[in-house]
């Protein structure tokens, strides 16, 4: 086959693959989640297998530990979240009064200077707030009453662990079988590209997930000890959103400091919240990210943010799961294409007849 025919064949296969993902996107979520879970757990399982000399036993042990950790976190975290939420809802009128007492002098001054504009602004804000609340409640009701949402949640809880278990058990066999299917002439090149993709994906995804876990625990414990209502929920949310560079810490800082300014009358307690985020950023930038992720993963933060937003826009939560791996694959292929271009006569300007430049 000529290079044009090979490129056409691979291009058609890639297009069919993308079309298949788009058509089946409604049912792929538990399977992609299972593959992701198996990919995360494979290094631990392999190391345990080397010690006990049994893949099946290693998979069972890892699965059992994971289930126990999940149940433990549910039994510990859920009651705390419920308690913090109930306290926050009970204190919400108090916080609203405190907030109004702080902004009332400025509002009165503005009203005395611009009476008509302030009244119009207040009326507009009230209308938008009312419509926004109605929209939010309607969306929540629609999501909760949607049969598809229930099916997706049920499939995640039931199908994902089963898929992850069997994939984890047969992970090595799948890798060997896949390598056998590679075209023999380009097998070495494809294997080198796949190895580079795996290094980038494992280096970023596994490392960044560990960073998110550490940050979530740090902020959840720190904000809770600081006495901030919803501190646990905010901290865990920061950990989840930290997978998107700069987003988790920025949103968490704004929400936490704003809530602290409403909740606390003492500026020292607000300063404690600021110090927590300062320490968190120092820990993330100087310890966690350099040690766990490294600087040579080949994924720029802007590229990661674009990939996550594009994936979420196209495929929803499924797109979020596959965004970073796809971004890593595209990055490796682009660098490989640039390398081949810079070695080609098109870049070097080589004359095909006499080799002159």
């Amino acid at each position: 086959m000529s290079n044009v025919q090979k490129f056409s064949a691979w291009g058609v296969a890639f297009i069919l693959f993308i079309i298949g993902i788009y058509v089946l996107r409604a049912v792929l979520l538990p399977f992609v989640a299972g593959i992701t879970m198996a990919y995360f757990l494979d290094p631990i399982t392999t190391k345990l297998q080397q010690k006990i000399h049994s893949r099946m036993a290693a998979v069972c042990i890892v699965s059992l530990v994971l289930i126990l950790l999940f149940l433990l976190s549910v039994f510990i975290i859920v009651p705390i979240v419920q308690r913090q939420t109930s306290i926050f809802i009970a204190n919400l009128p108090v916080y609203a009064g405190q907030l109004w007492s702080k902004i009332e002098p400025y509002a009165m001054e503005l009203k005395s200077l611009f009476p008509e504009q302030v009244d119009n602004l207040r009326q507009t804000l009230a209308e938008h707030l009312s419509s926004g609340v109605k929209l939010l409640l309607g969306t929540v009701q629609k999501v909760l009453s949607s049969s598809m949402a229930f099916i997706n949640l049920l499939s995640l809880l039931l199908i994902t662990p089963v898929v992850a278990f069997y994939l984890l058990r047969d992970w090595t066999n799948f890798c060997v079988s896949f390598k056998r299917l590679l075209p023999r002439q380009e097998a070495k090149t494809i294997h080198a590209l796949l190895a580079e993709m795996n290094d980038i994906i494992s280096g970023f995804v596994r490392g960044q997930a560990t960073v998110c876990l550490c940050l979530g625990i740090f902020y959840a414990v720190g904000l809770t000890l600081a006495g901030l209502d919803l501190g646990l929920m905010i901290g865990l949310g920061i950990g989840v959103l930290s997978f998107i560079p700069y987003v988790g810490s920025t949103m968490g800082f704004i929400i936490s400091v704003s809530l602290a300014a409403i909740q606390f009358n003492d500026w020292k307690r607000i300063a404690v919240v600021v110090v927590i985020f300062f320490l968190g950023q120092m820990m993330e930038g100087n310890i966690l990210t350099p040690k766990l992720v490294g600087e040579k993963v080949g994924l720029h933060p802007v590229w990661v943010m674009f990939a996550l937003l594009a994936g979420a826009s196209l495929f929803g939560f499924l797109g979020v799961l596959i965004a970073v791996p796809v971004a890593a694959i595209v990055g490796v292929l682009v660098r490989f294409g640039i390398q081949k271009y810079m070695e080609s006569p098109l870049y070097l300007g080589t004359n095909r007849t006499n080799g002159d430049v």
Side-chain angles (χ1 to χ4, degrees):
M1 296 180 66
S2 64
N3 291 332
V4 175
Q5 291 175 326
K6 293 178 182 179
F7 181 80
S8 300
W10 283 107
V12 170
F14 177 75
I15 293 173
L16 292 176
F17 177 72
I18 296 299
I19 293 175
I21 291 179
Y22 185 79
V23 172
L24 299 174
R25 65 189 185 279
V27 298
L28 283 179
L29 180 57
F31 298 94
V32 174
I35 294 172
T36 304
M37 188 180 298
Y39 180 78
F40 270 104
L41 298 176
D42 177 65
I44 301 174
T45 307
T46 301
K47 291 181 180 180
L48 185 60
Q49 177 189 357
Q50 294 173 353
K51 294 183 178 181
I52 63 177
H53 306 291
S54 174
R55 180 75 179 185
M56 189 64 183
V59 171
C60 292
I61 293 173
V62 171
S63 301
L64 182 61
V65 171
L66 191 66
I67 292 173
L68 291 176
L69 289 175
F70 174 76
L71 294 176
L72 185 64
S73 63
V74 167
F75 287 131
I76 293 177
I77 294 176
V78 170
I80 299 176
V81 170
Q82 289 179 340
R83 180 167 57 85
Q84 288 193 352
T85 304
S86 61
I87 293 174
F88 177 77
I89 294 174
N91 293 334
L92 196 57
V94 179
Y95 296 154
Q98 292 177 352
L99 178 61
W100 174 248
S101 65
K102 292 178 180 179
I103 66 173
E104 184 179 10
Y106 305 101
M108 292 296 103
E109 185 177 353
L110 286 175
K111 187 174 181 179
S112 63
L113 295 175
F114 310 100
E116 296 182 1
Q117 289 81 354
V118 171
D119 290 337
N120 293 333
L121 178 61
R122 182 173 58 185
Q123 184 179 359
T124 304
L125 289 176
E127 292 176 356
H128 287 323
L129 182 61
S130 176
S131 60
V133 171
K134 290 180 181 179
L135 179 62
L136 178 61
L137 292 177
T139 303
V140 171
Q141 184 179 3
K142 186 182 295 185
V143 169
L144 293 177
S145 61
S146 173
S147 58
M148 195 62 197
F150 176 76
I151 293 174
N152 286 335
L153 178 61
L154 192 64
S155 64
L156 276 175
L157 295 176
L158 298 180
I159 299 177
T160 299
V162 177
V163 173
F165 178 85
Y166 284 107
L167 284 178
L168 194 59
R169 186 193 66 178
D170 301 324
W171 190 268
T172 304
N173 297 330
F174 282 130
C175 292
V176 172
S177 300
F178 180 77
K179 290 178 182 178
R180 290 176 181 172
L181 295 176
L182 296 178
R184 295 298 90 192
Q185 189 174 0
E186 292 87 7
K188 287 186 177 181
T189 302
I190 297 176
H191 187 268
L193 292 175
L194 290 176
E196 184 178 354
M197 294 174 189
N198 180 67
D199 290 340
I200 293 176
I201 295 173
S202 61
F204 182 84
V205 176
R206 290 175 180 147
Q208 191 65 33
T210 308
V211 171
C212 292
L213 178 63
C214 295
L215 290 177
I217 294 174
F218 173 79
Y219 285 118
V221 174
L223 295 176
T224 301
L225 293 178
L228 187 69
D229 288 347
L230 300 180
L232 179 66
M233 295 179 63
I234 294 174
L236 295 178
I238 293 172
V240 173
L241 291 177
S242 293
F243 199 83
I244 309 174
Y246 312 119
V247 172
S249 58
T250 303
M251 291 186 62
F253 178 79
I254 295 173
I255 294 173
S256 299
V257 173
S258 301
L259 185 59
I262 297 173
Q263 179 181 346
F264 305 134
N265 291 322
D266 187 2
W267 66 268
K268 294 181 180 179
R269 302 190 68 178
I270 302 176
V272 169
V273 175
V274 176
V275 169
I276 290 174
F277 277 88
F278 176 76
L279 294 176
Q281 288 301 296
M282 292 288 292
M283 181 176 65
E284 179 185 3
N286 298 314
I287 300 176
L288 294 178
T289 300
K291 297 292 184 182
L292 298 176
V293 180
E295 300 177 353
K296 298 181 179 180
V297 295
L299 289 176
H300 195 276
V302 176
W303 177 232
V304 174
M305 285 189 284
F306 172 79
L308 289 170
L309 293 176
S313 175
L314 293 174
F315 300 103
F317 186 66
L318 174 64
V320 174
L321 288 179
I322 66 175
V324 173
V326 171
I329 292 170
V330 171
V332 171
L333 294 179
V334 168
R335 285 192 292 272
F336 178 74
I338 293 175
Q339 179 185 354
K340 291 299 180 182
Y341 161 71
M342 297 184 71
E343 296 173 355
S344 67
L346 182 62
Y347 174 78
L348 298 174
T350 305
N351 191 308
R352 293 185 178 181
T353 57
N354 53 21
D356 295 335
V357 179

